[in-house]
């Protein structure tokens, strides 16, 4: 998100890159603002956020777009959410 706002590559940095990056005040504010709008954290925290979005919007369903620094990270995020909701494994 921060890279997009600076017209840089949309590729997300790895956790190691994030841990060593020094944010200036404006960047920190932008990241903090973004984090108030997206669910993140433990599976329980994410599902609580998603459940609140559903209640607030009275939606019949939610579509989830997962972001991460790698395909493996995005897939793992999706697996954790599915597990938290007790969804069956995909046999394919």
């Amino acid at each position: 998100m921060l890279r997009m706002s600076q017209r840089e590559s949309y590729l997300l940095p790895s956790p190691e890159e994030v841990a060593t990056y020094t944010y200036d005040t404006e960047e920190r504010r932008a990241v903090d603002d973004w984090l108030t709008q997206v669910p993140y954290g433990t599976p329980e925290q994410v599902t609580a956020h998603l459940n609140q979005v559903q209640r607030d919007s009275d939606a019949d369903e939610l579509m989830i777009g997962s972001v991460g620094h790698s395909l493996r990270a995005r897939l793992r995020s999706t697996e954790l959410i599915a597990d938290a909701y007790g969804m069956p494994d995909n046999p394919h």
Side-chain angles (χ1 to χ4, degrees), residues 3-75:
R3 287 181 177 181
M4 280 180 37
S5 70
Q6 297 170 342
R7 299 181 185 261
E8 294 180 15
S9 168
Y10 180 66
L11 294 176
L12 295 177
S14 69
E16 296 79 20
E17 289 175 282
V18 171
T20 61
Y21 185 79
T22 304
Y23 296 90
D24 66 29
T25 303
E26 187 176 321
E27 291 173 331
R28 183 75 258 166
R29 187 177 307 117
V31 170
D32 289 344
D33 287 346
W34 185 67
L35 290 175
T36 65
Q37 301 173 41
V38 296
Y40 67 96
T42 66
E44 294 78 18
Q45 291 169 321
V46 171
T47 55
H49 184 111
L50 294 173
N51 291 342
Q52 187 63 51
V53 167
Q54 186 280 323
R55 284 191 297 275
D56 291 347
S57 65
D58 199 29
D60 293 329
E61 64 183 16
L62 298 176
M63 295 178 68
I64 299 170
S66 184
V67 296
H69 68 283
S70 68
L71 176 58
R72 173 175 251 150
R74 292 190 305 273
L75 291 174

